[in-house]
Amino acid sequence: MKRRYLLAVSTAFLSACATLEPTPNLSAPPAEQAELGATLPPETPDPDLLPPAPQPPAPRARQRVVAPITALSAANAGARRRPDPNDFVDAAQMYEFAPGALYEVYAAPGYLSTILLEPGEAIVTVAAGDTTRWMVEETTAGDIGEPRSLLLLKPTRAGIRTNIVLVTDRRTYLIEAIAVQGAAYSAQTAWRYGDQDASHDAAIGGVDVEAVNFRYHIETVRGRNPHWRPVRVFDDGRRTYVEFPLDISTSEAPPLFLRDGPDAALVNYRVVGNRYVVDRLFDVAELRLGGARQTIVRISRERPRMGAPR
């Protein structure tokens, strides 16, 4: 019985030793320690010491697709320049020139709209989108020594529009011509150019409008109002300018006479575009045309009132 008990204890002890993990012998040579360590289970790493796991890339925002026509419409709308009441000199709309801008010019059937360029600027080419329903013609205005190119526009009917590309020896103008019904139209369109002197920018038809006198009275004293009746008369202190409708060249032009009491004498003048330029001032003059039944248009210079500006 005692022998059986000892045998059982010995067997249990050997089984327990077989399950124990070997303890590394720190006094053993390094090669033996490495061989012994290879039999040990791997240590569990500390999660706080591990590098962060790579994150998946964020989804890209979906870009909005704009239709080409929508982009063009928005760009053209932002580039348009329209008539502004604060930018007129008499009937001339003065735009600030900017490359790529679209300048609106309003026209009406039966009326001529004019586009006036910088003194000395020459037209190279003009192209219009609609040449069937729009009349586009070139002419010259201003003094002989400093001519100015002029473009004439006239639509055949209201409710139409087109674009005009005007190329000169200095710049390119992009114009949108719009035909409207009624008597409101762009009589003249001109530009200011960058840092040019303001007085030079205000020159209309080669004459500085800041220095001229417009106090002239125009009256038809015999016959009906002719189609060549002047639209305005002014002087710059040395010369007098009689300005006719732009289509004056299509008909016979009346001679100019100076009145001195009951007498009248033909005066020398030169024709520049749609103007007579007289190299002097006068108080009373008359335009006469016809035979026995003459049509007479009288031009009278008004005397400035005391203290009133010229």
Side-chain angles (χ1 to χ4, degrees):
M1 184 70 179
K2 184 176 181 180
R3 182 177 295 179
R4 290 179 182 179
Y5 175 78
L6 290 176
L7 180 61
V9 171
S10 298
T11 303
F13 176 78
L14 292 175
S15 300
C17 290
T19 60
L20 290 178
E21 296 179 357
T23 301
N25 185 5
L26 298 180
S27 61
E32 294 181 8
Q33 294 184 28
E35 182 179 356
L36 182 59
T39 64
L40 297 177
E43 295 183 359
T44 302
D46 188 345
D48 294 335
L49 301 179
L50 292 176
Q55 298 295 326
R60 296 181 63 183
R62 188 173 182 179
Q63 294 183 347
R64 181 188 173 196
V65 178
V66 179
I69 297 300
T70 303
L72 288 173
S73 299
N76 290 349
R80 280 191 179 89
R81 305 291 187 270
R82 294 182 167 90
D84 189 313
N86 298 319
D87 293 331
F88 278 84
V89 177
D90 289 338
Q93 163 71 42
M94 302 297 296
Y95 283 121
E96 297 290 340
F97 181 80
L102 294 174
Y103 301 99
E104 290 187 347
V105 175
Y106 289 82
Y111 295 88
L112 282 172
S113 294
T114 66
I115 296 175
L116 185 65
L117 300 184
E118 186 180 23
E121 186 174 13
I123 295 176
V124 176
T125 186
V126 179
D130 184 353
T131 57
T132 302
R133 298 178 297 176
W134 286 84
M135 181 207 78
V136 182
E137 293 184 0
E138 301 176 34
T139 188
T140 303
D143 293 336
I144 296 177
E146 194 177 35
R148 300 186 72 171
S149 297
L150 197 68
L151 205 63
L152 311 180
L153 305 179
K154 186 171 71 171
T156 58
R157 64 182 180 86
I160 59 176
R161 62 193 300 158
T162 190
N163 73 309
I164 298 172
V165 178
L166 174 57
V167 181
T168 74
D169 58 349
R170 299 180 184 177
R171 51 188 67 90
T172 299
Y173 301 83
L174 305 179
I175 298 166
E176 285 199 352
I178 304 166
V180 295
Q181 189 67 49
Y185 65 100
S186 301
Q188 190 167 90
T189 301
W191 284 266
R192 297 186 178 92
Y193 303 95
D195 298 329
Q196 289 181 343
D197 181 72
S199 62
H200 181 74
D201 293 338
I204 303 298
V207 180
D208 185 357
V209 298
E210 299 295 333
V212 301
N213 169 37
F214 290 94
R215 299 178 62 84
Y216 284 83
H217 181 66
I218 304 171
E219 178 187 11
T220 303
V221 297
R222 182 183 296 177
R224 296 182 178 179
N225 284 334
H227 71 277
W228 46 259
R229 176 185 166 120
V231 294
R232 65 176 176 177
V233 179
F234 55 93
D235 71 78
D236 60 5
R238 297 183 302 160
R239 301 181 182 89
T240 304
Y241 301 83
V242 181
E243 186 172 309
F244 295 93
L246 290 171
D247 59 354
I248 184 65
S249 60
T250 63
S251 62
E252 186 179 1
L256 181 66
F257 296 83
L258 294 189
R259 287 288 304 269
D260 185 8
D263 301 324
L266 189 65
V267 66
N268 292 326
Y269 56 87
R270 62 182 185 274
V271 179
V272 180
N274 62 320
R275 290 190 179 131
Y276 289 177
V277 181
V278 185
D279 291 320
R280 55 166 292 180
L281 304 182
F282 58 76
D283 291 326
V284 182
E286 288 180 350
L287 294 162
R288 301 179 178 184
L289 188 63
R293 299 176 61 87
Q294 274 189 337
T295 299
I296 301 178
V297 176
R298 182 170 297 162
I299 302 169
S300 304
R301 184 169 183 258
E302 299 179 8
R303 296 289 183 179
R305 298 184 298 271
M306 293 297 294
R310 255 182 112 244

